[in-house]
Structure formats: C-alpha cells, structure tokens
C-alpha cells in the first residue's frame, strides 16, 4: 500500500483516504452478491466459484498493468546519479526538471485501469464465500460442519499471510528493476524515498489464482451426504431441519421473476430474525477492524517503529495472520468437540471478544515518540541558517544531524560538502544548522530513527494474542447464522451477510481509517506544487487514532454478541415456560378426563341398578 501511495502520488490532499476509496471499488458487487446468492443450490456452485476466480485473476493482472505503461519513478537520487552534491546548500534546484518530465501526466491514465481491476476482482469474488460455505454445510455432517468451515476460514487466512510474506521479499527489489540497472541507483530499501516492486506480487498472485481456479470446474454439482448424526441444537432449529428436504425441493421451482417479486418479503423475513441480525452486526464490527488492520497495519508498523515496508509485511504475514488462522481453527475444534448449542456459542463469542479487548487496550501505550524534525516540530522558528541556501520546498532527502535532529534534506541542514563514507555511504560536512561545539556539525543520510525498536516485540506479541482470541468467534458466529435461519434461506442469508459486510464494513472502514491517519500528518510531501504522500506523522496521534478505532470496532462486536446472548436466553426461558404451561394444561385436561370417565361409570352403574330393581 505504501509503495503504491508513494509512486502513484494521488492528486489529493488525503492519500490514505484515497487508498481506502480505491480498496472500496471491489465492493461494486454489493448488490450483485444478493442475486447470485439467490441461485444457491439451483446452479453448479463449484463451477461458479471457478469462473469467478478466473474473472478475479483477470482483475489482478489489470492492477499490475499500470507499471508497464507508466514512466520510471523519478527521485532526486536516480535523477542525478552521478552528482552527489545535488542536494547540498546552494545547489541548483532540480524541481523544474522533474516537473518538465511529468508534464505528460501519463499517470492519469493509470487510475481507470486500477479501478477496473478492483471492480473485476470484486465481481469475481462474489460466488466464492456464499457458494463455498453453503456447499460445505449442505453435504457435511452437522457435527463436522463447524470443523470443515474452520479449515476453510483458516486456509482463507493463509492467502493473506502468504501475500504479506511474499511482498516482504519482493519489496526489497526496486520498483523499476525491469527498466533500469541497479548500478544507477543510489537508494537503499531503508530510505524513505524507496519504492519496492509492488507489481511483482500482483503478477504472482494472479497466476496462482488462475491455476487454483481450474480444479473447481471438475467438482460435481452434488455430493453424497455424510451420515447424519444428531447434534445438540436449539429446539426451534431441530424443527426447521426436519423440513429441510421438502422445502428445498419446493424452492428449486421458483423462477427469478417470482424471486424478484418476493425479494422484499424474503429480506424482511431474514432481517427480522434477531439472532441473525445481531450476529451479522457483530461480524460487521469485527470485519471493519480487520479491514483497517489489513490495509494500514503494515504502514503503522513501518512508521511507528521506523521499520522498512518489507519488514513490516513480514511481521504481518509471520505473526498476526497466523495467529488469526490458529484462532479460527481452534474455534472450529472447540465447537465440534463440545457440541455447543446456539446460546452456548453466543456466550463463547462474547467471552472471546471481551478478552481480546483486554489484550488490545495496552497496545495504545506501546509505541515510539515522534522524531525531532527541524522546522516541523523542533526549532520551528530557527531556520535562518538555511535561508541563504535557496532550498526547495519540495525537497525530501532526510538526513540526521550529529546532534540527533532530523532535517528534510542536506540543504535544509545547511550542509555544503559531502564525502564518501564506508559505513553510511555518504557523510555531509559543514552543516550550519546542525548544533555542535566549535566547528559546523555533520549529518548522514536517512532519518535518525526513534531508537525504540525494542518495543516492537511486546507490541507484536500482544497484537498476535488479540488476533488469536478474537478469531475464536469467527467460525462459531458463522455456525450461529447457519443454525438460526431456515435451510431454504441459507444461501440467501449468507448473501445478505456478505452484502452487509461490504456496505457497513469494507466500504466505510478503510476510508474512516485513512481519514484518521491523514489527520495525524504534520508534513505533507509536495511535487510540482501538488500534494503527495505524508512525509511525517505525529506518532502519538497516529497510534491512538488507528488503534483506538480498532478497539472501538471490537467493543461494538462484543455488545452485539452480548445482546444476542440475552435474546437467546430470554427465548429459551420463554420456551421452557410455554412447555411447562402446556404440560400443566395436558396434565389438567387428562385429570378432568379421568374424573369425567369415573362420573360416567358411576352414572352407568346407577342406571343399571335401577333397571335391575324395576325388573
């Protein structure tokens, strides 16, 4: 995400929010997913999954296409590779040359291609989840279904983990590795101007997606069912499961026209189910948390702990996502071993989410302070030392002074000479703005760093535990939905669920996170008088707003699970009272029948006695 943000240079004052909007293009399938889910068992579900995956692979190929049709990524380093003094005090300004090279605005044609790729990616993903989940639940034994779905969700998580690990390797290569030789590049991957080869990951992902879509074309439309073994379920659920077969056969004959006419009725019937609605809203909150985590967590680690983009992605793919995968599988195993009822499942989800909140709150206090940047948050009014250097406002080549203060460029530090250095590559000398005793100070390339990388380990441990505990509710909550809706509405209920995911979670959440992150920026980059990506953040604000939103969404999921538990408890108590009243009524009526029979027998005996006396 950071690589696309820096290279693309969105023409907006809020790049993170633009990235969030860009990610939302794939939710253009929001309405489509409901109508696709209507077909459910009426179509060849595995084949639809395979075709959808093929369409998604085309979209991923399109996302990588802009790299091959756009110009090289220009920085001060590769624009003046042979002149190490280009960023020094009183050096010629190169910003006009850069703007002249970009007058063609070739990058403007890139965005429609990216948007089309995201749109196809979203459309192709429509049948995967609803058809896959309903297909497994239809042909698996009721007791084994949670375990199988746990495996499905865990394997689904492996994909992002593999993607993050792969990107951590690919981002170590320069973005234009196919267009220019590395000998002309003076940047290293820890330089803030570095842009990794983001497009390589999309090419590899699209190829793998295309290959894995082919086996689905050969799966049967229907599979032989596993032997049905009764599992502990709620009484109302048992009654619904008894009528599964005839209702399903009846629904097979419904046409699309009839479905469209009855669509509002089906939607209201599904949404009036309080358990279904509350569980879906809980999942929406957790999905919003995941959306922000997947989109901006790598950027957070990179900025908060002064790490490279490749290392940040490795942390995500090596710790956070595997923890979530283990939590999903553990939730499925617990559900299978204990045979939890719907009410017990709600209690398990409620406890798991509450414990995850307890682990998430300390993350607000684990972070690093903002670096001292001259002219930004340190010595804001004492930059007269570089006034005579004619430094460009668009220059961004951070250097760290010998006094521990960071400068936007060697020019802003007042450095006049540069000498080679074996350890750091270059060493800037005679820096007027660097505080030192006696002679002018010196500076070396790159940011100063916040020197608190030791806090990264406890942060990752706590965040991984949070992911593991919160993920225990994933499979359990899905099984609550499958067990509280009528069988004929199962695929459609899942379709509405994923539609609500997109409308209430994946659509607004990335934009909300991006907005919160953008408000923490204290210096925006500029290029050709246009705002680009953020150069410096207030790290305390960044941490509190980003992680605060995550805790807010987790708490929202806890509230919804708690309400679902209360509703289920009241429903069960009401059912028990009704059963007691019906039993009392039956016992009372049986007693009355016995009394009536006795009275009838006595009357018959009396009549027989009188008849005998008369005779």
């Amino acid at each position: 995400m950071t690589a696309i943000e820096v290279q693309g240079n969105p023409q907006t004052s809020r790049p993170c929010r633009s990235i969030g909007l860009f990610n939302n293009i794939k939710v253009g399938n929001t309405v489509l997913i409901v109508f696709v889910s209507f077909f459910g068992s009426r179509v060849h579900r595995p084949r639809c999954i395979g075709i959808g995956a093929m369409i998604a692979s085309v979209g991923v190929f399109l996302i990588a296409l802009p790299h091959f049709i756009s110009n090289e990524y220009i920085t001060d380093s590769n624009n003046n590779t042979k002149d190490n003094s280009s960023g020094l005090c009183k050096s010629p300004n190169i910003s006009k040359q850069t703007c002249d090279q970009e007058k063609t605005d070739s990058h403007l044609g890139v965005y429609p291609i990216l948007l089309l790729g995201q749109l196809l990616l979203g459309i192709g993903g429509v049948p995967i989840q609803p058809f896959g989940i309903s297909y497994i639940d239809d042909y698996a034994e009721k007791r084994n279904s949670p375990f199988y779905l746990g495996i499905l969700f865990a394997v689904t998580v492996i994909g992002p983990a593999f993607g993050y690990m792969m990107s951590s390797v690919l981002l170590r290569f320069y973005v234009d590795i196919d267009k220019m030789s590395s000998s002309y590049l003076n940047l290293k991957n820890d330089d803030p101007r570095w842009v990794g080869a983001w497009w390589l990951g999309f090419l590899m992902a699209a190829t793998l997606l295309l290959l894995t879509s082919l086996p689905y074309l050969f799966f049967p439309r229907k599979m032989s069912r596993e032997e049905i073994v009764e599992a502990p379920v709620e009484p109302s659920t048992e009654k619904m499961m008894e009528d599964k077969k005839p209702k399903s056969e009846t629904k097979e004959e419904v046409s699309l026209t009839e479905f469209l006419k009855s669509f509002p009725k089906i939607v209201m019937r599904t949404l009036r189910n309080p358990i279904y609605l509350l569980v879906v809203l809980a999942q929406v909150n957790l999905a919003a948390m995941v959306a922000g985590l997947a989109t901006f967590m790598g950027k957070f680690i990179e900025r908060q702990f002064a790490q490279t983009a490749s290392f940040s992605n490795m942390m995500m793919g090596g710790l956070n996502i595997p923890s979530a995968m283990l939590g999903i599988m553990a939730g499925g195993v617990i559900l299978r071993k204990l045979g939890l009822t719907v009410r017990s499942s709600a209690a398990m989800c409620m406890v798991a989410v509450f414990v995850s909140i307890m682990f998430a709150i300390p993350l607000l206090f684990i972070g690093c302070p903002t670096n001292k940047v001259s002219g930004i948050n340190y010595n804001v009014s004492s930059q007269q030392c570089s006034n005579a250097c004619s430094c460009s406002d668009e220059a961004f080549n951070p250097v760290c002074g010998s006094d521990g203060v960071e400068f936007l460029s060697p020019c802003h530090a007042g450095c006049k000479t540069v000498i080679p250095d074996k350890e750091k590559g270059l060493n800037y000398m005679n820096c007027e703005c660097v505080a030192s005793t006696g002679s002018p100070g010196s500076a070396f390339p790159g940011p100063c760093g916040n020197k608190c990388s030791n806090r990264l380990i406890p942060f990752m441990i706590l965040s991984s535990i949070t992911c593991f505990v919160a993920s225990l509710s994933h499979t359990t909550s899905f099984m609550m939905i499958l067990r509280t809706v009528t069988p004929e509405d199962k695929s459609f209920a899942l379709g509405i669920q994923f539609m609500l995911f997109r409308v209430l979670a994946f659509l607004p959440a990335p934009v909300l996170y991006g907005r919160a992150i953008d408000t923490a920026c204290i210096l925006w980059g500029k290029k050709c008088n246009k705002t680009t990506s953020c150069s410096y953040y207030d790290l305390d604000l960044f941490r509190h707003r980003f992680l605060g939103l995550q805790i807010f969404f987790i708490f929202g999921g806890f509230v919804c699970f708690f309400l679902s538990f209360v509703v289920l408890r009241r429903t069960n108590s009401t059912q028990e009272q009704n059963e007691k009243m019906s039993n009392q009524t039956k016992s009372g009526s049986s007693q009355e029948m016995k009394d009536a029979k006795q009275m009838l027998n006595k009357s018959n005996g009396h009549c027989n006695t009188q008849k005998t006396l008369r005779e």
Side-chain angles (χ1 to χ4, degrees), residues 588-607:
S589 60
S590 61
Q591 184 65 34
E592 291 178 358
M593 290 291 295
K594 290 181 180 179
D595 296 340
K597 287 182 179 180
Q598 291 178 357
M599 293 177 63
L600 182 62
N601 291 333
K602 289 181 179 180
S603 61
N604 290 335
H606 181 70
C607 292

Side-chain angles (χ1 to χ4, degrees), residues 4-297:
I4 298 177
E5 175 186 339
V6 174
Q7 186 185 16
N9 287 333
Q11 302 304 311
T12 173
S13 59
R14 296 293 181 265
C16 284
R17 187 168 55 183
S18 300
I19 293 293
L21 288 171
F22 168 72
N23 287 336
N24 287 332
I25 298 300
K26 61 176 175 287
V27 303
N29 56 16
T30 299
V31 178
L32 182 63
I33 194 172
V34 177
F35 293 99
V36 170
S37 301
F38 154 72
F39 292 100
S41 58
R42 301 168 178 81
V43 296
H44 198 302
R45 285 177 285 183
R47 193 169 295 170
C48 289
I49 293 174
I51 295 174
M54 290 181 179
I55 296 174
S57 66
V58 175
V60 179
F61 276 119
L62 285 178
I63 294 176
L65 180 62
H67 168 76
F68 300 97
I69 63 176
S70 59
N71 298 329
E72 293 182 3
Y73 172 59
I74 304 297
T75 64
D76 294 347
S77 176
N78 58 16
N79 197 39
N80 291 275
T81 55
K82 302 300 182 182
D83 185 9
N84 289 331
S85 65
S86 59
L88 296 179
C89 181
K90 297 184 179 179
S91 296
N93 195 322
I94 64 169
S95 61
K96 292 183 179 179
Q97 295 178 347
T98 304
C99 290
D100 290 339
Q101 292 174 0
E102 291 195 353
K103 279 186 177 179
T104 55
D105 288 335
S106 60
H107 63 281
L108 294 179
V110 164
Y111 296 110
I113 298 176
L114 291 175
L115 299 182
L116 178 61
Q118 284 286 83
L119 183 63
L120 291 178
L121 178 60
I123 293 175
V126 166
I128 295 177
Q129 288 277 19
F131 285 177
I133 294 174
S134 61
Y135 190 80
I136 291 174
D137 192 62
D138 284 346
Y139 299 109
E141 180 199 344
K142 190 189 305 180
R143 189 169 180 269
N144 291 333
S145 182
F147 180 68
Y148 294 150
L149 290 180
I151 295 177
L152 170 66
F153 295 139
V155 173
T156 303
V157 173
I158 292 177
F162 176 74
Y164 277 108
M165 295 298 291
M166 181 176 63
S167 65
S168 69
V169 176
L170 297 179
L171 289 177
R172 298 176 184 177
F173 299 98
Y174 190 62
V175 62
D176 289 326
I177 189 175
D178 60 327
K179 298 179 182 179
M180 61 183 297
S181 175
S182 59
S183 59
Y184 290 94
L185 187 66
N186 290 332
L187 291 179
K188 294 183 179 180
N189 63 352
D190 58 350
D191 192 294
R193 296 169 295 171
W194 176 273
V195 176
W198 58 269
W199 51 275
L200 279 175
F202 284 102
L203 288 181
M204 296 178 65
T207 303
L208 292 175
L209 181 58
L210 180 62
L211 293 177
T212 53
S213 66
L214 298 178
Y216 287 96
L217 302 178
F218 303 98
F219 272 80
R221 177 171 181 172
K222 295 183 179 180
M223 298 178 65
S224 58
R225 295 178 183 272
E226 291 187 336
E227 184 180 354
I228 299 177
V229 178
E230 290 297 326
V233 293
E234 300 294 336
S236 59
T237 306
E238 290 180 356
K239 293 179 180 179
M240 289 189 295
M241 298 302 289
E242 289 176 358
D243 301 331
K244 181 174 182 179
K245 187 172 180 179
K247 290 183 180 179
S248 298
E249 292 176 352
T250 305
K251 282 286 180 179
E252 292 280 349
E253 305 299 329
V254 178
S255 64
L256 181 60
T257 304
E258 294 174 344
F259 167 75
L260 292 176
K261 292 180 180 179
S262 60
F263 176 77
K265 182 179 178 181
I266 298 175
V267 172
M268 294 305 300
R269 182 177 65 194
T270 304
L271 295 180
R272 283 177 181 173
N273 185 336
I275 305 302
Y276 170 83
L277 186 60
L278 288 171
V279 173
V280 168
L281 289 178
Q283 290 182 331
V284 164
N285 280 276
L286 297 180
M289 182 270 294
V290 172
L293 182 77
T295 307
F296 295 108
M297 189 62 172

Side-chain angles (χ1 to χ4, degrees), residues 365-530:
F365 308 99
I366 303 177
C368 298
T370 308
N371 291 347
K372 296 179 181 179
V373 184
S374 181
I376 306 301
N377 62 349
Y378 183 79
N379 289 339
V380 178
S381 60
S382 60
Q383 280 294 301
Q384 293 83 1
C385 54
S386 62
N387 288 341
C389 295
S390 300
C391 301
S392 171
D393 294 336
E394 300 178 358
F396 183 68
N397 180 17
V399 295
C400 183
S402 56
D403 58 350
V405 178
E406 189 171 325
F407 297 85
L408 295 178
S409 69
C411 180
H412 288 84
C415 301
K416 298 179 180 179
T417 58
V418 58
I419 59 175
D421 187 274
K422 292 182 179 180
E423 296 181 359
K424 301 173 181 177
L426 298 174
N427 194 1
Y428 297 99
M429 306 298 294
N430 298 325
C431 301
E432 297 290 342
C433 298
V434 178
S436 62
T437 57
S439 61
S442 61
F444 59 86
C448 294
N450 41 35
K451 299 178 181 179
C452 68
S453 57
N454 58 328
R455 302 180 188 178
L456 176 61
I457 295 178
F459 178 87
M460 295 305 302
I461 292 175
L462 276 177
S463 63
S464 298
I465 295 175
T466 302
C467 291
F468 173 81
V469 177
S471 298
L472 291 173
S473 65
H474 192 274
T475 305
T476 310
S477 59
F478 267 94
M479 293 309 302
M480 289 177 64
I481 291 176
L482 294 175
R483 296 295 176 258
T484 54
V485 297
T486 55
E488 65 270 18
D489 291 341
K490 187 183 298 182
S491 294
F492 185 74
L494 290 174
I496 294 179
Q497 175 192 16
F498 286 106
M499 182 193 71
L500 293 177
F501 274 15
R502 284 160 172 79
V503 173
L504 301 180
F506 295 116
L507 180 65
V511 180
L512 185 61
Y513 277 98
R515 170 69 177 177
I517 293 173
D518 284 336
T519 56
C521 183
I522 57 178
L523 178 66
W524 292 99
K526 291 184 179 180
K527 195 170 186 179
C528 300
N529 297 322
K530 294 180 180 179

